[in-house]
Amino acid sequence: MAATPATPAADEAYDVIVLGAGPTGENLADRAHAAGLSAVIVESELVGGECSYWACMPSKALLRPVTARSDARRVPGLRDAAEGPLDAPAVLTHRDAVAAHWKDDGQVRWLDSAGIDLVRGHGRLAGPRRVVVDGERTLTARHAVAVCTGSRPVLPPVPGLAEARPWTSRAATSSQAVPGHLVVVGGGVVGVEMATAWRALGAVVTLLVRGDGLLPRMEPFAGHLVAAALTEAGVDLRTGVEVREVRREIPGGPVTVVLDTEDEIVADELLIATGRAPRTADIGLETIGLEPGSWFDVDDSCRVTGVTGGWLYGVGDVNHRALLTHQGKYQARIAGAAIAARARGVPILESDPWGAHAATADTRAVPQVVFSDPEAASVGLTAAAAERAGHRFQVVDQDLGAIAGASLYADGYRGRARMVVDLDREVLLGATFVGPGVGELLHSATVAVAGEVPIERLWHAVPAYPTISEVWLRLLETYRG
Ligand SMILES: Cc1cc2nc3c(=O)[nH]c(=O)nc-3n(C[C@H](O)[C@H](O)[C@H](O)COP(=O)(O)OP(=O)(O)OC[C@H]3O[C@@H](n4cnc5c(N)ncnc54)[C@H](O)[C@@H]3O)c2cc1C
Ligand SMILES: NC(=O)c1ccc[n+]([C@@H]2O[C@H](COP(=O)([O-])OP(=O)(O)OC[C@H]3O[C@@H](n4cnc5c(N)ncnc54)[C@H](O)[C@@H]3O)[C@@H](O)[C@H]2O)c1
């Protein structure tokens, strides 16, 4: 059914109400509907959520030309053809198309074809199993309400920062112009990807990081290699610095960033990429005894803990398990199956690790690709995380440049791989690859980690020659001795 305006009416009852039509909400509603439950989805902005319009898709549209050009420049015979600047207007035009020009008609058509009702407006819980949309329309849920409202950027409490109206991820992924000088604050994924993109599109970029390196959740060599490449690309990377004050006298005019070192940087734009907060401040949590603005505390089926009757689910970014589109969609598949099983009265759910109703991969095998140049890709535990978790493990490293497939992929290929092996069970706990093109290599590691494939069996998974995947052979040879 197509979108209908919020009009006063009697309560409308559904089996499942989904709040938020991002990738998580869409998948959850789809799973519920596929299981024979009626589902309605409430969306206050665009169907498709952050990912489609202001996050994954537009950011990757900005980054793909950057890595494609870099790769081409490292292929003899192609190098000269790939010299010169990127065509920034063409990149931005393509980005606009990838973001569907910030219109959601296509995704609304998909909801319609999937048999999911859409109600446009801001949804708020109004007591158990009840959602009021824009204060006018009341929906009730026979089985479950799934909150999939995502996250928003956080501005640190720096004097003058909010008043300066800095860019956050939305402006950084949707800007229609390349700023002359962009200051980026934050060395996490958003900071690194956006510094990479806007530098290659022609901006002077200063990247301010308060810690001692980039991408702190990955293996340290990921941050080192990406930092070296950013510096080589001309980014002014400053680590160990804090922003003390921000001044912008004229809206849209130059912005002055004052550091704790007393240095002042005057730039055209400032991007704050210092993490996210849940979009749960204004969704009526107080009406069911939960704290507004908090992340949801959920079990492995994504059911919110401590809610009488067990009808509330918090899925995707809102539960802070892994702020990634693919993990939100995975959780939606698991939670959707759990909601359907509970609705059918199934007495015992498959909630053991790797069971149908447990989002086990959230804690064991989360894959992530940072689309920087070079790419950084990881799954499962880093060595530091394995140490913290008390595993007995061995780290195996490999220079990716020494792999024949890599040297053919790009002349002078620079990159590194690491696997973390559980010595007690002889399975992989995690793997990290850094280098051009490694994003597409990651799923092999995800299969090995999630499948808990014994090293002895991995030995029989023969990588094709000459591909970058031959890194697996070298890693295993080193491990086996
Ligand atoms: C710049 C950037 C780049 C990223 N790149 C990647 C990437 O490459 N790969 C990746 O896996 N992840 C990436 N992410 C993370 C990814 O965007 C999120 O993990 C993902 O969007 C979360 O999906 P979600 O459905 O939980 O929430 P969202 O996508 O945020 O969707 C939530 C939806 O709920 C709606 N909503 C909120 N409150 C209400 C309400 N009260 N009533 C009705 N509707 C409401 C919102 O309007 C929104 O449409 C990126 C994030 C950023 C910021
Ligand atoms: N390719 C991808 O998969 C991709 C791309 C972009 C975003 N994302 C997801 O979006 C989420 C948000 O990304 P993000 O980069 O905003 O968050 P993040 O948590 O990855 O990084 C934020 C960084 O900012 C730093 N920071 C925090 N407060 C600060 C302050 N006051 N001053 C200076 N630095 C400060 C943190 O130490 C951290 O390194 C991530 O969890 C990520 O998983 C994924």
Side-chain angles (χ1 to χ4, degrees), residues 288-467:
I288 53 166
L290 295 178
E291 181 68 26
S294 55
W295 300 101
F296 281 112
D297 186 17
V298 299
D299 66 16
D300 272 353
S301 72
C302 295
R303 188 158 71 162
V304 179
T305 53
V307 174
T308 310
W311 53 274
L312 184 67
Y313 292 73
V315 195
D317 276 13
V318 280
N319 64 32
H320 207 241
R321 284 166 74 98
L323 282 73
L324 292 163
T325 288
H326 43 272
Q327 292 308 122
K329 290 178 1 183
Y330 164 70
Q331 291 168 18
R333 297 192 289 275
I334 299 288
I339 290 168
R342 288 178 176 130
R344 283 198 308 275
V346 171
I348 300 173
L349 265 54
E350 296 174 43
S351 46
D352 287 343
W354 307 114
H357 307 122
T360 310
D362 281 352
T363 50
R364 306 266 194 96
V366 174
Q368 177 161 30
V369 177
V370 182
F371 293 83
S372 43
D373 179 20
E375 290 173 348
S378 68
V379 62
L381 299 186
T382 59
E387 181 85 52
R388 281 195 299 274
H391 289 286
R392 209 171 63 82
F393 65 96
Q394 182 178 331
V395 163
V396 185
D397 284 344
Q398 173 64 42
D399 171 14
L400 270 172
I403 305 296
S407 66
L408 288 164
Y409 187 94
D411 207 17
Y413 190 106
R414 269 181 289 168
R416 189 165 163 196
R418 166 170 292 182
M419 67 177 190
V420 180
V421 182
D422 181 335
L423 290 174
D424 293 322
R425 299 169 63 221
E426 294 250 302
V427 295
L428 282 197
L429 292 169
T432 300
F433 308 99
V434 182
V438 295
E440 293 299 336
L441 194 63
L442 184 62
H443 196 59
S444 53
T446 306
V447 170
V449 175
E452 300 180 327
V453 183
I455 294 283
E456 285 314 305
R457 179 55 69 87
L458 276 181
W459 187 240
H460 293 273
V462 182
Y465 183 82
T467 62

Side-chain angles (χ1 to χ4, degrees), residues 18-27 41-60 63 119-125 131-134 147-153 168-170 172-173 189-191 193-194 276 279-280 282-284 315-319 322-329 331 367-371:
V18 180
L19 211 52
T24 307
E26 286 181 324
N27 276 267
I41 197 161
V42 182
E43 173 54 53
S44 57
E45 297 184 76
L46 294 176
V47 174
E50 211 66 20
C51 175
S52 301
Y53 308 102
W54 300 285
C56 328
M57 293 303 283
S59 63
K60 269 74 250 184
L63 285 159
V119 175
R120 289 203 185 267
H122 186 98
R124 286 183 190 83
L125 290 160
V131 170
V132 174
V133 184
D134 286 343
V147 176
C148 308
T149 50
S151 64
R152 61 171 178 79
T168 57
S169 49
R170 284 198 173 190
T173 51
V189 197
V190 172
E193 287 189 346
M194 291 298 95
R276 316 280 299 176
R279 288 181 69 175
T280 57
D282 185 22
I283 58 164
V315 195
D317 276 13
V318 280
N319 64 32
L323 282 73
L324 292 163
T325 288
H326 43 272
Q327 292 308 122
K329 290 178 1 183
Q331 291 168 18
Q368 177 161 30
V369 177
V370 182
F371 293 83

Side-chain angles (χ1 to χ4, degrees), residues 69 71-83 408-411:
R69 180 180 66 164
D71 287 354
R73 283 178 172 174
R74 296 188 195 108
V75 177
L78 200 50
R79 191 170 287 135
D80 289 348
E83 275 312 322
L408 288 164
Y409 187 94
D411 207 17

Side-chain angles (χ1 to χ4, degrees), residues 94-117:
H94 179 246
R95 183 277 321 271
D96 292 354
V98 168
H101 302 280
W102 295 275
K103 293 194 173 65
D104 63 3
D105 314 24
Q107 307 229 26
V108 172
R109 272 196 299 279
W110 175 80
L111 275 187
D112 213 1
S113 69
I116 299 157
D117 284 1

Side-chain angles (χ1 to χ4, degrees), residues 50 53-63 91-92 95-96 99 102 153 165-179 182-186 189-199 201 203 205 269-274 276:
E50 211 66 20
Y53 308 102
W54 300 285
C56 328
M57 293 303 283
S59 63
K60 269 74 250 184
L62 294 176
L63 285 159
V91 173
L92 298 184
R95 183 277 321 271
D96 292 354
W102 295 275
R165 300 182 64 84
W167 275 9
T168 57
S169 49
R170 284 198 173 190
T173 51
S174 63
S175 173
Q176 293 298 325
V178 181
L182 174 67
V183 173
V184 179
V185 179
V189 197
V190 172
V192 161
E193 287 189 346
M194 291 298 95
T196 303
W198 291 108
R199 173 68 200 127
L201 287 165
V205 174
E269 209 34 271
L270 170 64
L271 164 62
I272 300 297
T274 52
R276 316 280 299 176

Side-chain angles (χ1 to χ4, degrees), residues 240-254:
V241 292
E242 293 263 3
V243 176
R244 181 189 285 173
E245 188 191 344
V246 172
R247 293 193 299 266
R248 181 176 247 168
E249 267 96 44
I250 307 160

